[in-house]
Amino acid sequence: MEPKDNLSSVIYGAGDMRLENRPIPQPGENEVLLAMQSVGICGSDLKYWSIGRCGRFIVKSPMVIGHEASGTVIQVGDKVKNLQIGDRVAIEPGVSCRMCKICKQGRYNLCPEMKFCATPPVDGLLCRYYVHPADFCFKLPDHMSLEEGAMMEPLAVAVYGCERGNVTLGSNVLICGAGPVGLLTLLTAKSLGAATIAITDIDQNRLDVAMAMGATHGILVESIDNKQMAAKIVDIIGCSPDVTLECSGSDVSLVIGIYATTPGGSVILIGRGSMEPKVPMVEAAGKEIDIKGVFRYANCYPKALAMVSSGQIDIKSLVTHRFTLENSEDAFKTASDRSSKSMKVIINCTSSKE
Ligand code: 572
Ligand code: ZN
């Protein structure tokens, strides 16, 4: 079947998403051409769509959106050895230089030359056809779905967060935020053998979902003093967490996490709050709490894939809504509407016409 068009969802600026036909790219010698399949919507995609920016990154020229994706290989470059036509792959959207000191140390997520899909000015994956380096594509086993393939991206974030927090057998874990990344962090912590996994949110519905997925405690965050809320959490769990994984992007949660975490423990920043949050630094220092950042992930796709393909964790239930590429804007509206009770919204990029 010959590709016909390359319909793409393009962000022009705040509130301005357009469907447009773009040329179908040709793969270089170490690249593959992918027929795009499933693309999940992430919080940063919603930011670029709603306000035209995410953190310090601003949409200054039209940009294809989407970075959580899977596809099928339809053409391979001459030097590609790891993939064949017909392979279904999870796409790791950040391509590093592979050459610099940081890449060689294995922390390629911090590469200054990183090109990450749908981070301006780099185009994203919400389109029909896309060319990507073969070494950033991971073949899915036959029994894994393309939707699960798209979910490898947020799962990689969760895996990396748990690694940064040294979550292990018997850990007492506090997760702040029961959105998709919080829930994937919960599943990862559980499969690593965490003994206690408490999760907080301001939405009882999300806490109910988290409890159904194996959280030991679902705790509604109240508008009370942060220290008091932390004490309440410790009281409910019955101990201070060894590690707090902040997945909500709320400064309040970060502060609560610092107060709640045990002396000598860690607070891991997965969510992004404000640029200069006011945090009780002296409290953190006095308790020797390691506050660690998380910038995406490195070397986590193989682990994320193994966890799902082996049946260690089941991520399918996170997908709550599905749309076609033509209905991208409706998908974005649903993903940003709290009353939709959406968790992960997935867009199917295949054409019914071809
Ligand atoms: O799935 C990766 C991912 N990373 C996010 C957000 C959403 N999804 N990060 C938070 C925002 N930063 S950033 O550097 N940026 C807007 C590119 O501030 C990247 C990591
Ligand atoms: Zn993301």
Side-chain angles (χ1 to χ4, degrees):
M1 191 187 347
E2 275 300 299
K4 289 190 179 65
D5 63 39
N6 189 13
L7 195 67
S8 308
S9 288
V10 184
I11 304 291
Y12 275 73
D16 188 359
M17 177 189 287
R18 304 182 203 173
L19 279 169
E20 65 184 32
N21 221 334
R22 291 195 160 198
I24 296 171
Q26 276 295 309
E29 56 187 12
N30 290 306
E31 295 177 328
V32 292
L33 175 63
L34 299 164
M36 296 304 297
Q37 300 283 333
S38 300
V39 178
I41 301 177
C42 167
S44 66
D45 297 322
L46 292 175
K47 283 260 167 67
Y48 290 122
W49 170 62
S50 59
I51 58 169
R53 66 182 297 160
C54 182
R56 66 195 160 92
F57 288 85
I58 302 168
V59 179
K60 291 185 180 147
S61 58
M63 175 186 80
V64 179
I65 196 71
H67 62 270
E68 301 178 356
S70 62
T72 303
V73 175
I74 57 169
Q75 203 180 323
V76 294
D78 289 344
K79 291 196 175 161
V80 173
K81 296 205 175 69
N82 61 323
L83 294 170
Q84 294 181 343
I85 289 174
D87 283 347
R88 298 148 66 252
V89 297
I91 302 163
E92 179 168 350
V95 179
S96 54
C97 80
R98 309 170 183 85
M99 307 286 275
C100 70
K101 193 172 158 193
I102 293 172
C103 281
K104 294 217 162 192
Q105 283 168 345
R107 299 184 70 168
Y108 63 87
N109 54 321
L110 304 174
C111 172
E113 300 296 320
M114 170 68 74
K115 291 182 177 54
F116 197 90
C117 294
T119 294
V122 181
D123 279 322
L125 301 166
L126 192 45
C127 55
R128 293 244 204 265
Y129 299 100
Y130 188 82
V131 159
H132 205 59
D135 59 331
F136 283 89
C137 295
F138 295 83
K139 185 171 158 41
L140 299 172
D142 292 345
H143 65 279
M144 259 180 81
S145 72
L146 287 152
E147 285 188 353
E148 288 174 305
M151 301 271 284
M152 291 304 99
E153 206 279 339
L155 182 57
V157 174
V159 168
Y160 188 63
C162 286
E163 283 184 359
R164 296 277 290 157
N166 299 319
V167 176
T168 186
L169 271 179
S171 296
N172 296 311
V173 171
L174 172 65
I175 297 169
C176 305
V181 171
L183 294 181
L184 290 167
T185 302
L186 156 67
L187 293 174
T188 305
K190 207 174 161 58
S191 85
L192 287 166
T196 309
I197 310 172
I199 190 158
T200 64
D201 206 288
I202 49 169
D203 181 339
Q204 185 59 47
N205 171 58
R206 290 194 157 196
L207 291 177
D208 295 343
V209 174
M211 289 302 284
M213 291 177 76
T216 53
H217 307 79
I219 305 169
L220 204 58
V221 178
E222 299 164 39
S223 313
I224 56 173
D225 171 70
N226 293 334
K227 236 181 194 168
Q228 274 179 352
M229 190 63 225
K232 198 165 177 171
I233 291 169
V234 171
D235 188 49
I236 293 169
I237 309 174
C239 65
S240 293
D242 303 309
V243 51
T244 296
L245 299 137
E246 203 306 291
C247 303
S248 72
S250 139
D251 292 355
V252 165
S253 286
L254 169 58
V255 174
I256 292 171
I258 289 171
Y259 282 127
T261 303
T262 192
S266 311
V267 172
I268 310 300
L269 279 175
I270 301 177
R272 281 286 157 100
S274 65
M275 287 303 280
E276 295 185 9
K278 189 171 176 295
V279 293
M281 213 52 183
V282 174
E283 167 88 7
K287 285 164 70 181
E288 290 194 8
I289 287 175
D290 294 331
I291 301 176
K292 290 192 192 175
V294 161
F295 190 70
R296 301 171 180 147
Y297 40 75
N299 303 304
C300 290
Y301 264 64
K303 296 166 196 162
L305 257 165
M307 281 164 64
V308 175
S309 69
S310 65
Q312 283 275 321
I313 64 166
D314 187 352
I315 57 173
K316 287 193 289 289
S317 67
L318 260 74
V319 180
T320 52
H321 295 73
R322 295 174 174 83
F323 291 85
T324 61
L325 180 58
E326 288 86 342
N327 292 325
S328 291
E329 195 153 13
D330 288 341
F332 273 64
K333 282 179 187 158
T334 301
S336 57
D337 173 12
R338 275 223 161 231
S339 73
S340 71
K341 296 194 171 164
S342 64
M343 197 53 75
K344 185 53 71 181
V345 176
I346 297 259
I347 297 174
N348 182 333
C349 293
T350 60
S351 168
S352 52
K353 280 183 284 172
E354 286 170 21

